[in-house]
Amino acid sequence: MADFKAQIESNNKAVMDCFKANDMQGLSQLYAEDCKLLPPGMETLHGRQGVVKALSALWEEGARSLEMVTEELEQLGEDAAYERSAYTVRKADGSVMDVGKFVVIWKKIGGSWQLYIDVNNSNKA
């Protein structure tokens, strides 16, 4: 169990690091090939190119860092898990652009945990 949590924490750190470096292609590799991204105000995006599209759009809007705090994480059998977390998106000057929450279904593929379904929404009205 500790190994599982360490892997998810490592993956989440990689997500934040890739976003900060504007490496959306690298970030998308942390997602399963058949992933689904359900961002607010948009249709469901499918596959890694959907991840690149959504996060590149966020970058173009001025986002420069993504902070994630895991609030709940549980493994469901050998190859599935869920995570409930909070996020903060910041601009280059450190000001807050967005705050919200998300739920991720993780899928273990070839011994590696990958984001499979990612649902997020803003706390803004």
Side-chain angles (χ1 to χ4, degrees):
M1 183 65 97
D3 185 45
F4 154 72
K5 288 187 176 183
Q7 287 178 35
I8 300 299
E9 287 173 8
S10 175
N11 286 356
N12 281 341
K13 182 179 180 328
V15 166
M16 292 183 281
D17 290 346
C18 284
F19 187 86
K20 190 168 190 172
N22 192 21
D23 180 8
M24 303 315 169
Q25 281 298 135
L27 193 158
S28 74
Q29 296 304 304
L30 298 163
Y31 282 77
E33 285 186 45
D34 60 344
C35 66
K36 283 91 178 158
L37 184 64
L38 290 78
M42 296 175 71
E43 295 293 323
T44 299
L45 300 171
H46 297 266
R48 291 177 176 156
Q49 282 310 110
V51 173
V52 171
K53 177 181 177 180
L55 295 178
S56 293
L58 188 59
W59 184 271
E60 289 171 18
E61 291 172 12
R64 292 298 179 265
S65 72
L66 172 63
E67 302 160 9
M68 303 183 321
V69 177
T70 301
E71 297 175 346
E72 187 175 347
L73 178 62
E74 186 171 331
Q75 191 168 345
L76 306 168
E78 293 296 315
D79 61 356
Y82 76 88
E83 173 187 4
R84 182 183 59 79
S85 298
Y87 71 83
T88 302
V89 178
R90 294 185 186 275
K91 296 180 181 181
D93 65 4
S95 63
V96 173
M97 186 171 161
D98 191 22
V99 175
K101 61 258 182 211
F102 64 92
V103 173
V104 168
I105 304 298
W106 290 88
K107 192 176 188 181
K108 194 171 191 181
I109 301 169
S112 172
W113 287 99
Q114 297 182 335
L115 294 107
Y116 177 55
I117 298 175
D118 185 352
V119 183
N120 65 83
N121 61 61
S122 175
N123 290 347
K124 293 182 179 179

